[in-house]
């Protein structure tokens, strides 16, 4: 059966969901093993407690958790529901990208890859306070070059007058390559923004306010969003962080533990702003004027 994935159909959407779940299953392995510097290829997946290798049907994304009743078939150790949830989330993100960009194409792939990168960042930072260099550096390359296939970002339409090199570049024509320029600006702005915070924060608190992983993550987000939306997402991440920190103080949860790492909020904010795109500016415009 040949299914056309380049246009939207129910069967295509279903297949994309399955592919998405399989990729989510792979991302689980990346999130679990890469921060510990273990191979993502060998050995195959097994129970974390008794080491029994998983049988083929125990590797089926999402379903395996329910088939096994949420625990190891050999030793009975409960498995975290997070793996199945992450697979479901990835599958849904794949379907959303597929529907929004009307098929499997470079644009929907771009959106989906951005999601996968942010998902890995979110969980490795949450679990270990680690943001993998392979994710951020690889992401920067995809973010920058992938911009060629995306609709023209609004960076240069709003800020022509305020950013001289931008207006100068814009006179060279309006092509998707302007997205690559906006990605470059986004990377430079993102990295220097967080670098400045690191230095200022270090002076005020006399300790390291944020790691270099956050700076590279900011550059990666800037490469996908461009500099203006990138900036939006950074502010949104601070707002989210402040809200959650406040809620945790009030609720008394996680007390005595470290606060949540900044990268988790940056990842969420970047994903929200990516989907809101220019609407974020419209919304902010209405709010402030
Ligand atoms: Zn076991």
């Amino acid at each position: 059966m040949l299914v056309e994935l380049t246009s939207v159909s129910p069967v295509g959407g279903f297949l994309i969901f399955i592919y998405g779940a399989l990729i989510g299953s792979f991302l689980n392995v990346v999130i679990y093993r890469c921060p510990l510097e273990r191979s993502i290829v060998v050995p195959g997946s097994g129970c974390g407690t008794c080491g029994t290798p998983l049988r083929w049907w125990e590797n089926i994304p999402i379903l395996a958790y329910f088939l096994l009743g949420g625990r190891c078939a050999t030793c009975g150790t409960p498995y975290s529901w997070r793996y199945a949830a992450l697979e479901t989330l990835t599958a849904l993100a794949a379907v959303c990208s597929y529907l929004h960009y009307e098929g499997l194409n470079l644009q929907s792939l771009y959106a989906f890859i951005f999601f996968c990168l942010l998902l890995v960042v979110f969980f490795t930072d949450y679990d270990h306070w680690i943001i993998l260099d392979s994710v951020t550096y690889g992401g920067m390359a995809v973010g920058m070059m992938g911009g060629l296939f995306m609709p023209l970002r609004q960076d240069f339409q709003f800020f022509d007058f305020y950013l001289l090199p931008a207006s100068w570049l814009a006179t060279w024509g309006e092509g998707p390559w302007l997205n690559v320029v906006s990605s470059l600006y986004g990377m430079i702005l993102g990295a220097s923004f967080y670098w400045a915070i690191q230095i200022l924060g270090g002076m005020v608190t006399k300790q390291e306010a944020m790691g270099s992983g956050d700076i590279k993550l900011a550059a990666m987000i800037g490469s996908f969003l461009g500099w203006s939306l990138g900036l939006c997402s950074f502010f949104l991440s601070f707002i989210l962080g402040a809200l959650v920190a406040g809620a945790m103080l009030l609720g008394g949860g996680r007390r005595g533990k470290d606060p949540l790492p900044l990268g988790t909020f940056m990842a969420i904010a970047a994903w929200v702003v990516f989907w809101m795109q220019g609407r974020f500016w419209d919304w902010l415009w209405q709010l402030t004027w």
Side-chain angles (χ1 to χ4, degrees):
M1 185 178 62
L2 192 69
V3 180
E4 193 69 58
L5 285 175
T6 48
S7 57
V8 170
S9 69
V11 182
F14 181 69
L15 280 179
I16 291 290
F17 185 89
I18 293 174
Y19 290 146
L22 286 168
I23 292 169
S25 180
F26 169 72
L27 295 180
N28 266 324
V29 177
V30 170
I31 290 164
Y32 186 70
R33 293 188 184 179
C34 286
L36 307 172
E37 299 189 347
R38 284 165 56 187
S39 163
I40 52 172
V41 186
V42 283
S45 298
C47 171
T49 306
C50 68
T52 310
L54 294 183
R55 283 158 284 182
W56 69 268
W57 59 271
E58 291 172 343
N59 263 318
I60 303 171
I62 306 170
L63 287 182
Y65 180 77
F66 299 99
L67 291 172
L68 286 162
R71 50 183 68 242
C72 172
T74 310
C75 70
T77 306
Y79 288 146
S80 172
W81 54 271
R82 200 181 92 179
Y83 300 107
L86 194 147
E87 284 155 2
T88 311
L89 203 63
T90 311
L92 289 176
V95 172
C96 285
S97 308
Y98 170 78
L99 293 177
H100 183 80
Y101 292 104
E102 294 171 356
L104 180 62
N105 49 45
L106 289 169
Q107 296 189 347
S108 55
L109 272 177
Y110 186 75
F112 182 61
I113 290 172
F114 191 39
F115 172 84
C116 293
L117 293 165
L118 293 174
L119 189 81
V120 172
V121 165
F122 181 94
F123 281 105
T124 57
D125 207 23
Y126 182 84
D127 289 344
H128 306 282
W129 288 65
I130 286 174
I131 298 174
L132 299 163
D133 278 352
S134 49
V135 168
T136 45
Y137 285 135
M140 282 179 221
V142 176
M144 199 166 72
M145 298 320 294
L148 284 169
F149 312 111
M150 299 304 284
L152 192 63
R153 292 190 198 121
Q154 299 184 2
D155 284 9
F156 300 104
Q157 293 164 23
F158 280 108
F159 291 92
D160 255 6
F161 300 110
Y162 306 103
L163 209 73
L164 206 62
S167 68
W168 176 73
L169 280 163
T171 59
W172 284 51
E174 289 193 6
W177 65 274
L178 273 179
N179 276 348
V180 178
V181 180
S182 103
S183 287
L184 266 177
Y185 280 12
M187 285 163 67
I188 295 167
L189 183 96
S192 36
F193 186 72
Y194 277 83
W195 185 63
I197 292 174
Q198 187 186 37
I199 291 185
L200 287 174
M203 289 195 305
V204 173
T205 62
K206 304 283 179 209
Q207 58 184 354
E208 200 176 3
M210 67 179 64
S212 63
D214 292 319
I215 296 173
K216 293 171 207 162
L217 173 61
M220 183 195 99
I221 290 172
S223 79
F224 272 91
L225 296 180
W227 67 269
S228 64
L229 287 179
L231 204 58
C232 284
S233 88
F234 302 148
F235 282 122
L236 184 61
S237 70
F238 289 130
I239 294 169
L240 284 176
L243 285 176
V244 171
M248 284 196 322
L249 272 178
L250 288 175
R254 240 176 125 100
R255 183 169 289 166
K257 277 185 164 183
D258 291 323
L260 289 172
L262 184 60
T264 56
F265 298 111
M266 290 167 72
I268 297 172
W271 186 238
V272 169
V273 170
F274 179 79
W275 282 107
M276 288 185 77
Q277 290 286 327
R279 275 167 290 168
F280 196 92
W281 276 124
D282 299 338
W283 176 73
L284 208 67
W285 195 253
Q286 284 165 4
L287 206 71
T288 47
W289 291 86

